[in-house]
Amino acid sequence: MKDLLVRVAIGGILMVCGLICVAMPAQVYSFILDLTVVYCLLNCVYLAYMYSKEKKKADLLFSVLSFFFVIVLKEYTHFPEWIIRVTFGAYCLVCALAMLVQYVLHVVNHIPGKIGFLFLTLLYALLGGFLLFNPEFETGLLMRFFGLYFVVLGIQYLHDAWESVQPEVRYRWKRHIRIMLPPVLCVFFPDWAIRSVNKYLSEGKTPELYDRKMDESTPLKVMVHVGPEGFQKVGHICFAYKDVVYSYGNYDVTSFRFNQTIGDGAFFNVPLEKYIPNAMRAEKNSIFEYGIHLEEEQIEEVERQLDLLERRAYRWYTKIEQEDGYDNFAAYRHDYPSRLHYRTGAKFYKLKKGKFKTYWVLGDNCAAFIDIILGQLGSDVLSVRGIITPGTYYDFLETEYGKRGSPIVYRTIHPWNDQLAHDYREKSRKFFA
């Protein structure tokens, strides 16, 4: 009930704010500017007070910077307009670059359906260039664009809330246009969620870690990972079919290019009963696991897609396998494929041709790989192509989990926490000897 009220509140607020932006863009811009000035002044006073109490130089520095920013806002009223225009323009150019790289990779790998990426490249590039290099651009037009986006997003939230209170009638996913939050906002959703769980645990409370809506078999499971630090906070997503995990990524260090953003696409298979304990104990990952109900014809389609995937793959051997280094594990500890294979027996495969032959962090990545299966079931996360992250899929899975008749019939949270990981450590002890 709480999640429903939150979703309704967010949807309503987004719609109201969006309509105000559309109707009164100039006034909204002025209000945001005034609000920023007030906030910076209050922050300046607060940090100055904290400096007087604790004598931390950082508080004094940021207090002075806050006051300086207030002066800039009052003297150069077009500066915030420039920030909005340049930030959104830069975001569009990043999207254009992501689409262009994906287009080139599809050309190199002889993958059909490339023209869509070229079209999106040109569209994002034109919009980004127009925003960056046209100083006469009217801010009000941009505010109206944001307003329309907020309205549509608010409608999506209210629609999801409405579906979550409908009678428990089983439905299937269908491909249609789905408006979602920008990837830059979704990227840390899993990390924020697991922090909330860990906060409950640290306070001695017991959050709901397992919930099954229907007592039915779920041969398909999707797992969203999140780690404790660095790039792990962005997360990873994979799936398991009949308790065999399929996880895609950029695993071959010899193929890394452009700071590991591009490389040979590879996936591995490993039993689920070994994978989760390893992810929790050895890799210190928390996992959100979602069980998805499948009809008979859907099972056949999933198996057909997996058969197609495996037919265009070949076995790739990790460093520890190539060099027969099982007696010297310490030398391979920093190589993820090697340590995963050593601890769980995971087998890695590379793609010989076609989509996912080349990994691209802002295109054909682990989240896009999930669409091999969920896309066939009707998931609409990738129906509007753009940058996709595990956080985007996490948002979709959480939304669907909250609906009564959703194909997602259970959710289990595996938090990396000494207290709750004890059972997994005991079950997996023989794999970590």
Side-chain angles (χ1 to χ4, degrees), residues 123-225:
L123 182 63
Y124 278 122
L126 287 172
L127 181 56
F130 181 69
L131 289 168
L132 288 175
F133 303 112
N134 182 16
E136 303 301 322
F137 181 78
E138 184 183 351
T139 306
L141 185 60
L142 193 57
M143 296 300 295
R144 284 193 173 96
F145 172 79
F146 289 147
L148 288 173
Y149 174 71
F150 291 154
V151 169
V152 174
L153 189 60
I155 291 172
Q156 183 72 63
Y157 269 86
L158 294 176
H159 178 263
D160 289 335
W162 168 256
E163 287 191 338
S164 68
V165 297
Q166 296 306 298
E168 193 168 313
V169 177
R170 182 67 56 83
Y171 67 86
R172 292 187 179 186
W173 291 324
K174 295 180 180 178
R175 285 284 200 187
H176 56 74
I177 301 299
R178 181 181 183 86
I179 303 299
M180 305 189 74
L181 288 168
V184 70
L185 296 180
C186 293
V187 68
F188 294 115
F189 276 6
D191 181 54
W192 295 339
I194 203 62
R195 282 182 179 222
S196 177
V197 171
N198 287 332
K199 182 180 178 183
Y200 263 71
L201 293 172
S202 66
E203 295 173 352
K205 301 176 183 177
T206 305
E208 190 173 313
L209 300 179
Y210 177 80
D211 179 39
R212 178 178 286 274
K213 296 188 290 185
M214 301 175 190
D215 189 18
E216 299 180 9
S217 63
T218 52
L220 180 63
K221 302 173 178 68
V222 176
M223 291 161 287
V224 180
H225 299 237

Side-chain angles (χ1 to χ4, degrees), residues 40-316:
C40 288
L41 283 173
L42 292 175
N43 190 56
C44 173
V45 173
Y46 172 74
L47 290 175
Y49 170 75
M50 293 302 296
Y51 173 73
S52 68
K53 300 284 287 185
E54 300 180 7
K55 303 300 181 182
K56 291 183 178 179
K57 293 182 179 180
D59 290 337
L60 178 62
L61 174 63
F62 285 107
S63 176
V64 172
L65 288 176
S66 293
F67 185 72
F68 176 74
F69 193 59
V70 170
I71 295 175
V72 171
L73 291 178
K74 299 301 291 183
E75 291 295 325
Y76 303 96
T77 55
H78 292 291
F79 181 65
E81 176 183 322
W82 180 84
I83 291 178
I84 294 173
R85 181 168 58 83
V86 170
T87 301
F88 190 58
Y91 172 77
C92 289
L93 289 186
V94 169
C95 291
L97 177 62
M99 296 299 105
L100 177 61
V101 172
Q102 192 65 73
Y103 172 76
V104 172
L105 292 176
H106 278 207
V107 170
V108 171
N109 293 329
H110 308 290
I111 301 173
K114 303 177 285 289
I115 194 67
F117 291 106
L118 183 59
F119 173 76
L120 285 173
T121 298
L122 294 174
L123 182 63
Y124 278 122
L126 287 172
L127 181 56
F130 181 69
L131 289 168
L132 288 175
F133 303 112
N134 182 16
E136 303 301 322
F137 181 78
E138 184 183 351
T139 306
L141 185 60
L142 193 57
M143 296 300 295
R144 284 193 173 96
F145 172 79
F146 289 147
L148 288 173
Y149 174 71
F150 291 154
V151 169
V152 174
L153 189 60
I155 291 172
Q156 183 72 63
Y157 269 86
L158 294 176
H159 178 263
D160 289 335
W162 168 256
E163 287 191 338
S164 68
V165 297
Q166 296 306 298
E168 193 168 313
V169 177
R170 182 67 56 83
Y171 67 86
R172 292 187 179 186
W173 291 324
K174 295 180 180 178
R175 285 284 200 187
H176 56 74
I177 301 299
R178 181 181 183 86
I179 303 299
M180 305 189 74
L181 288 168
V184 70
L185 296 180
C186 293
V187 68
F188 294 115
F189 276 6
D191 181 54
W192 295 339
I194 203 62
R195 282 182 179 222
S196 177
V197 171
N198 287 332
K199 182 180 178 183
Y200 263 71
L201 293 172
S202 66
E203 295 173 352
K205 301 176 183 177
T206 305
E208 190 173 313
L209 300 179
Y210 177 80
D211 179 39
R212 178 178 286 274
K213 296 188 290 185
M214 301 175 190
D215 189 18
E216 299 180 9
S217 63
T218 52
L220 180 63
K221 302 173 178 68
V222 176
M223 291 161 287
V224 180
H225 299 237
V226 59
E229 58 188 19
F231 195 69
Q232 288 183 317
K233 290 179 176 291
V234 174
H236 176 69
I237 187 168
C238 61
F239 68 88
Y241 180 68
K242 293 186 176 179
D243 292 335
V244 175
V245 174
Y246 293 79
S247 180
Y248 175 81
N250 190 13
Y251 297 120
D252 183 2
V253 296
T254 63
S255 73
F256 287 174
R257 299 188 291 279
F258 301 106
N259 198 28
Q260 303 183 26
T261 59
I262 297 177
D264 292 346
F267 69 91
F268 63 78
N269 290 343
V270 64
L272 182 63
E273 65 180 6
K274 296 182 180 181
Y275 180 70
I276 289 182
N278 178 76
M280 293 182 68
R281 182 180 181 186
E283 306 299 331
K284 296 185 178 180
N285 276 199
S286 298
I287 301 174
F288 295 86
E289 176 188 338
Y290 302 87
I292 301 175
H293 173 79
L294 299 177
E295 304 290 347
E296 285 299 324
E297 61 270 26
Q298 291 177 316
I299 290 177
E300 293 176 3
E301 181 59 29
V302 169
E303 292 181 349
R304 188 180 76 86
Q305 292 298 324
L306 291 178
D307 181 62
L308 290 173
L309 175 67
E310 291 169 352
R311 271 193 280 169
R312 60 187 181 94
Y314 64 94
R315 182 77 163 84
W316 173 68

